[in-house]
Amino acid sequence: MGNTPRATRRYSARSPLVGYLLRRLGTSVLLLFGVTIVTFALANLVPGDPIAAALGEGAASNPATVEAYIKERGLDQPLPVQYANYIGGLFQGDMGISLRTTQPVADDLAKAVPATVEIALLAIIVSLGIGVALGSLAAYRRGKISDQLVRVFSLIGLSIPTFWMALVSFNFFFLQLRIAPGSGRLSPALAPPPTVTGFYTADALLAGQWVTFTDALAHLMLPVFVLSLFTIGLLTRFVRTSVLEVLDADYVRAGRAKGLSGSRLLFGYVLRGASLPILTIVGLAFGTLLSGTVLVEAVFAWPGLGSYAYNSATSLDLPGVMGVGLVVGVVYLSINFAVDLLYGVLDPRVRLA
Amino acid sequence: MSDITTPQTADAAAAATAPVLTVDELTIGIGSRKNLKSIVKGISLTLTPGRIQGLAGESGSGKTVTSLAMLGLLPSNAVVGGSIRLNDTELVGMTHRQLNEIRGRRIAMIFQDPSSSLHPQLTVGVQLTDHVTRHLKLSKKQARAHAIELLERVRVPNPAEALARYPHQFSGGQRQRIAIAIALACDPIVLLADEPTTALDVTVQAGILHLLRDLADERQLAVLLVTHDLGVMSAIADDIAVMRHGEVVESAVRQEIFANPQHAYTRELLASLPGAAGFEEATE
């Protein structure tokens, strides 16, 4: 009982958590700098002639044009200076001008990122719901028929190549059955809703455009379905394993001994106990979904980050490629930060560590 | 502390009081239908209000499985035969739904290691009230007041503050006190204690045993104390049953077991104690 005063003090001291978060934020900023160095270096090291690609065959054969172009873009400066200019621009929200679209990269990304986030968010919510339900079911019925079925299903989800599933489901549901809308975010006849969040579904609701909302939602269905299959398989597996582990824990047996209802036990005790490993994998899966699933976006002609990355890379649009790299870096850093924060929320022991 | 080692009044009272829990020819097997391993082979026990029934035996003797059977907490591949009656209600064969009305409400349990039997991510307050609001239909506010009273009774300091804290913020002994408070929250008539002091420091064991003895007396709890430690038995048990290989080899009041052990195995167990004075000291 000699520990009481110490325990009290520990609990009342909230500052360790704040300090930890500040440190975490500091390292994130440093890492972000690292990301800019890597993307900048990679973009400038890859073979290929971006200037020729940007100017086209005719103009690139004219030395005067090439020189003017190089001067205008500061490409005659040494690489460290170019990098410094790039970083300086970033601080003012200037990510350079896309060689391909001739628009500011920041503007391009502001259009592409919400399109991908909309899909990724919906896919992760669907996957989490189904993955937790199936994984818990399989764990509770370990070894029974339902467990076997769930495991086979999750293995199928994990093994089917996503781009193949995209092609097959596009062909089947759109071209054959004609129950799914075609590619893109909206039917050609409809105008995008006024931009607030950048999510067509949310913006349409905010504007009260019911028809646009249902159309945007219908366009989301197929890509979300295709992307979710893999994530559902992944989450089902992890949830099953984590729940199995927790089901053996003493505190779950103690909860049973208290006569708690099945749902209280599942949500309050079992899933809470399994929440940290599940959260870790959800963070990873969400990062993958957000960093643009290039091939799926290509199949559905979805104007998101994946399509933008693909188009920038194939046309040697270096500012565009660097912009995508930076966004993906920010995405992973923010997700890791959010996951760390949530660890602290879900498990009080983490707050002290 | 000598008063807890010799509960004089209990013997006389026991004769007059009817048992609340009767175990009759209980058999437990675990495994598949073809490959059933017999763990408990027909044991009989009675638990009486205000008395502590010790169940001794080495690990693997079937004593923990017996206590889990009383709450229907055995794994799903366990086959239970015989009878466990709570007053006149037969517990063997009950559905989980029916058992949930008895678990925590009529029969409560405390486990060996409070650092793993308390949920690390739930506050003490939640764990002390979630079954109370369910079983006793108390409001959150009433349950909270009730919880503070309980923590006071088991002598956890600063009960109101303790409710907002998490298990890892308490010492091992305090955690077990909290686990006891949780077990007693719905005012059960039977308390199952499975090695309640084994995971604790020797210095705090006596305090927990003392508390269990006091609670058994003042609440007229029927306690089943499962332990391999005869030193613990000698401190607080009224009656002792010695189990080996799934059978009760000897059962008698405590003094009888220690003074005049009949079975060779009981004598062996007693001989393994660290000297005759050893188990008396363990209660200090």
Side-chain angles (χ1 to χ4, degrees):
Chain A
M1 329 288 125
N3 282 345
T4 323
R6 193 156 116 244
T8 317
R9 205 174 327 125
R10 271 185 171 186
Y11 179 67
S12 57
R14 284 254 153 165
S15 51
L17 177 63
V18 177
Y20 165 75
L21 289 180
L22 285 177
R23 270 200 309 282
R24 224 26 211 78
L25 207 60
T27 42
S28 296
V29 171
L30 280 180
L31 278 168
L32 209 52
F33 264 108
V35 169
T36 61
I37 293 175
V38 171
T39 51
F40 185 84
L42 280 179
N44 282 284
L45 284 176
V46 287
D49 188 351
I51 299 165
L55 294 177
E57 287 290 325
S61 58
N62 181 347
T65 319
V66 171
E67 199 170 325
Y69 183 81
I70 285 176
K71 268 254 153 58
E72 184 201 323
R73 300 279 170 130
L75 297 178
D76 53 345
Q77 309 273 355
L79 278 185
V81 177
Q82 284 189 43
Y83 175 71
N85 290 339
Y86 177 62
I87 291 291
L90 284 184
F91 273 109
Q92 294 151 29
D94 175 11
M95 303 173 83
I97 308 288
S98 163
L99 305 181
R100 178 174 62 89
T101 65
T102 69
Q103 300 291 314
V105 173
D107 293 2
D108 285 348
L109 288 174
K111 287 192 205 96
V113 168
T116 293
V117 173
E118 193 172 24
I119 282 193
L121 214 52
L122 208 57
I124 201 74
I125 291 170
V126 168
S127 307
L128 188 60
I130 297 179
V132 166
L134 288 182
S136 308
L137 176 85
Y140 268 67
R141 304 192 178 272
R142 178 186 200 167
K144 304 235 168 84
I145 296 283
S146 41
D147 179 26
Q148 312 285 7
L149 286 176
V150 167
R151 287 166 72 185
V152 168
F153 172 78
S154 86
L155 195 64
I156 291 172
L158 284 170
S159 329
I160 292 182
T162 306
F163 75 93
W164 180 85
M165 194 65 206
L167 287 170
V168 169
S169 57
F170 187 74
N171 181 18
F172 187 67
F173 291 108
F174 174 61
L175 297 175
Q176 308 282 326
L177 293 184
R178 300 220 152 262
I179 52 170
S183 49
R185 297 181 76 182
L186 275 181
S187 300
L190 291 167
T195 305
V196 182
T197 60
F199 304 157
Y200 281 7
T201 45
D203 287 348
L205 275 186
L206 287 174
Q209 298 170 348
W210 189 249
V211 177
T212 312
F213 170 75
T214 50
D215 190 71
L217 196 63
H219 276 81
L220 275 167
M221 290 300 187
L222 221 42
V224 164
F225 163 73
V226 168
L227 284 177
S228 297
L229 270 187
F230 178 83
T231 324
I232 290 172
L234 188 74
L235 282 175
T236 302
R237 273 198 155 194
F238 262 85
V239 170
R240 179 179 178 276
T241 314
S242 313
V243 166
L244 270 180
E245 215 165 277
V246 172
L247 280 178
D248 278 339
D250 271 0
Y251 57 76
V252 170
R253 183 187 268 178
R256 284 215 178 92
K258 285 160 78 178
L260 297 173
S261 68
S263 61
R264 168 73 193 149
L265 205 62
L266 173 63
F267 291 106
Y269 282 63
V270 176
L271 286 180
R272 191 181 295 262
S275 57
L276 293 199
I278 295 175
L279 177 66
T280 312
I281 218 67
V282 167
L284 279 174
F286 194 43
T288 311
L289 290 172
L290 274 180
S291 40
T293 33
V294 175
L295 291 168
V296 174
E297 290 194 359
V299 169
F300 292 103
W302 193 264
L305 197 61
S307 299
Y308 191 76
Y310 173 78
N311 292 330
S312 303
T314 48
S315 57
L316 284 175
D317 175 4
L318 293 189
V321 170
M322 286 193 289
V324 172
L326 192 62
V327 167
V328 171
V330 171
V331 160
Y332 271 98
L333 284 176
S334 343
I335 287 177
N336 276 331
F337 188 68
V339 165
D340 276 359
L341 244 171
L342 283 173
Y343 276 160
V345 173
L346 289 173
D347 193 338
R349 290 165 301 179
V350 176
R351 286 175 217 162
L352 301 166
Chain B
M1 207 165 271
S2 60
D3 59 324
I4 65 153
T5 55
T6 52
Q8 291 97 345
T9 53
D11 289 7
T17 324
V20 287
L21 192 110
T22 313
V23 175
D24 207 12
E25 287 299 314
L26 180 72
T27 59
I28 301 171
I30 291 184
S32 63
R33 202 170 298 167
K34 280 190 179 154
N35 188 16
L36 200 67
K37 191 163 177 278
S38 183
I39 309 278
V40 174
K41 302 160 184 163
I43 69 162
S44 300
L45 281 174
T46 55
L47 301 185
T48 315
R51 280 182 84 80
I52 297 181
Q53 167 73 57
L55 190 57
E58 61 203 11
S59 50
S61 61
K63 53 194 196 314
T64 294
V65 174
T66 301
S67 64
L68 290 175
M70 295 178 184
L71 277 175
L73 286 178
L74 293 170
S76 56
N77 61 350
V79 180
V80 182
S83 150
I84 303 171
R85 283 188 311 279
L86 179 71
N87 292 324
D88 290 324
T89 315
E90 177 60 56
L91 302 185
V92 174
M94 262 195 178
T95 65
H96 278 275
R97 195 174 285 267
Q98 290 169 318
L99 280 166
N100 270 345
E101 298 307 314
I102 288 168
R103 294 172 179 156
R105 174 76 187 90
R106 315 291 291 166
I107 305 176
M109 187 160 189
I110 56 176
F111 295 87
Q112 177 169 346
D113 186 356
S115 61
S116 61
S117 68
L118 296 175
H119 200 303
Q121 292 158 267
L122 292 173
T123 60
V124 168
V126 168
Q127 302 189 60
L128 247 172
T129 55
D130 58 0
H131 57 318
V132 177
T133 47
R134 174 180 157 83
H135 288 308
L136 303 185
K137 312 276 180 266
L138 294 187
S139 71
K140 283 226 166 117
K141 207 173 169 187
Q142 290 169 315
R144 194 186 133 85
H146 184 56
I148 291 176
E149 262 172 51
L150 282 162
L151 287 180
E152 256 162 23
R153 175 60 195 91
V154 299
R155 281 192 238 111
V156 171
N158 306 323
E161 266 181 51
L163 291 183
R165 294 209 248 146
Y166 292 91
H168 73 271
Q169 294 167 311
F170 295 87
S171 68
Q174 285 180 349
R175 279 183 212 145
Q176 197 60 298
R177 285 170 188 271
I178 291 167
I180 292 172
I182 292 172
L184 296 181
C186 297
D187 214 3
I189 52 178
V190 175
L191 178 67
L192 312 174
D194 184 7
E195 303 272 8
T197 56
T198 309
L200 302 178
D201 289 347
V202 183
T203 47
V204 299
Q205 287 187 358
I208 297 292
L209 292 175
H210 199 147
L211 179 66
L212 282 176
R213 178 74 253 177
D214 287 351
L215 289 167
D217 292 342
E218 73 188 42
R219 294 177 167 240
Q220 285 298 295
L221 268 175
V223 179
L224 180 73
L225 175 68
V226 176
T227 180
H228 69 283
D229 186 343
L230 282 177
V232 167
M233 284 291 178
S234 75
I236 61 166
D238 296 304
D239 310 285
I240 296 175
V242 178
M243 264 185 99
R244 189 190 196 190
H245 302 324
E247 289 171 65
V248 172
V249 294
E250 183 164 4
S251 181
V253 293
R254 182 197 49 181
Q255 293 87 340
E256 195 66 20
I257 293 271
F258 280 95
N260 189 16
Q262 296 298 308
H263 198 276
Y265 180 65
T266 313
R267 284 196 289 273
E268 244 175 78
L269 276 183
L270 286 171
S272 69
L273 277 173
F279 48 84
E280 288 300 329
E281 271 168 23
T283 67
E284 295 308 309

